[in-house]
Amino acid sequence: MRDSTEMNTDIFSDILKVAEARSLVTGGFTAGGRWAIRFPAPTTIKFFAIVQGQCYVMIDDEPEALHFATGDVGLLSAQRGFVLASHTDVEPLDAMSLFSGGGKKSTQLGDGSDFRQIGGHVLLDPVFGPVLREMLPSWIQIHAASPQATTIRWLLQQLVAEQADGQPGAQLASAQLAQLLFIQVLRVHMQKADALPAGWLRAMCDRRIAPAMSMLHGDPAHNWRLEELASACAMSRTTFALRFRTSVGCAPLTYLQEWRMHLGKQALRKKTTSVAEIAQTLGYASASAFSNAFRRVTGMSPKTWREAGGYDSDRQTLPASASVNV
């Protein structure tokens, strides 16, 4: 049996790469006095951070307003409209009218002395993005007072500095910092393993099946047997299979097939890579064996999927409506 200790695979990075998650800062606003802004339902994942002051966040279909203080970060993955407000009883202004026109990236309500916020978006690949997005709750709030939020506070300070200084390379630096902020928010969220739904996010927090997950991701072309995976996790076949299904939501070999299909789709975007080469890379005995498996999962052949536009031309971009600052 292979030594699983040699497969120190970073599954989290694997998923982020497959989803092609990329973060960007779109701006922010300042406010003073009593104020409120309504934002439309996002088509992307949105994040926002409170740099100064406090506010209430009222998300459509949520029964109660959320209180955010200085240093708090929010992540909204659900396609729901929401309101940011100094007080819950203020009639909100429409964000589209406040931020529209001339590439406007910031605005001020009142004298702007009480509150400051910056925000942005996390773009995902339209084909592979659901691998990540479907594992996220509707919203996440990370409190600045949380002991795990030290890195987030530092990243937020750096983002504010990049936005204010206007140094060469500020746009790229802000995007890199926003990417790190997104990763750190997910890391903090993953510490609540018991509250996570079944899926790869929960599986990464489950130390009992971590060796098997590392093996599957470290060498997806290998013909893994249930006995090998269970032995690496120091469990019986039955106990391991139950634990894996509880954490991941499917059987180990089903997960392996699904992961192979994700990797196969990515490889098909490179039009110079043949189906036979992809099949060999993923551990299939022949191009026809891979094609049959691909057709069972997707309903079409690899060639048809490739010709249907499953490559870079379908990359998710930021819609005009999503450029509204949060």
Side-chain angles (χ1 to χ4, degrees), residues 184-219:
Q184 193 63 26
V185 166
L186 294 185
R187 284 175 172 172
V188 175
H189 176 65
M190 285 165 58
Q191 294 183 12
K192 305 174 182 177
D194 293 340
L196 296 175
W200 64 266
L201 203 60
R202 179 173 174 178
M204 283 189 296
C205 305
D206 190 337
R207 295 181 180 272
R208 295 290 307 280
I209 66 166
M213 291 292 291
S214 183
M215 292 162 74
L216 294 173
H217 278 255
D219 191 0

Side-chain angles (χ1 to χ4, degrees), residues 231-300:
S231 177
C233 297
M235 298 183 200
S236 68
R237 283 171 42 112
T238 303
T239 301
F240 168 73
L242 178 60
R243 179 87 180 206
F244 193 97
R245 183 180 290 276
T246 300
S247 289
V248 183
C250 63
L253 299 187
T254 300
Y255 179 84
L256 174 61
Q257 180 179 349
E258 291 176 353
W259 183 242
R260 283 175 171 176
M261 291 300 104
H262 284 306
L263 296 177
K265 288 177 183 178
Q266 278 202 317
L268 285 167
R269 286 184 167 179
K270 300 176 182 178
K271 291 189 279 186
T272 57
T273 305
S274 70
V275 173
E277 289 174 314
I278 296 171
Q280 183 178 21
T281 300
L282 295 179
Y284 289 92
S286 65
S288 61
F290 168 66
S291 296
N292 290 336
F294 192 91
R295 189 187 298 274
R296 284 195 300 271
V297 173
T298 67
M300 61 181 75

Side-chain angles (χ1 to χ4, degrees), residues 162-195:
E162 290 293 339
Q163 294 290 298
D165 293 346
Q167 293 289 324
Q171 185 177 10
L172 180 59
S174 294
Q176 297 292 341
L177 288 165
Q179 187 81 340
L180 290 173
L181 181 64
F182 175 58
I183 291 172
Q184 193 63 26
V185 166
L186 294 185
R187 284 175 172 172
V188 175
H189 176 65
M190 285 165 58
Q191 294 183 12
K192 305 174 182 177
D194 293 340

Side-chain angles (χ1 to χ4, degrees), residues 138-160:
S138 299
W139 54 268
I140 297 172
Q141 179 180 4
I142 305 298
H143 296 282
S146 169
Q148 302 95 340
T150 303
T151 304
I152 290 178
R153 290 195 294 272
W154 181 86
L155 289 169
L156 185 54
Q157 291 171 354
Q158 299 306 308
L159 268 173
V160 170

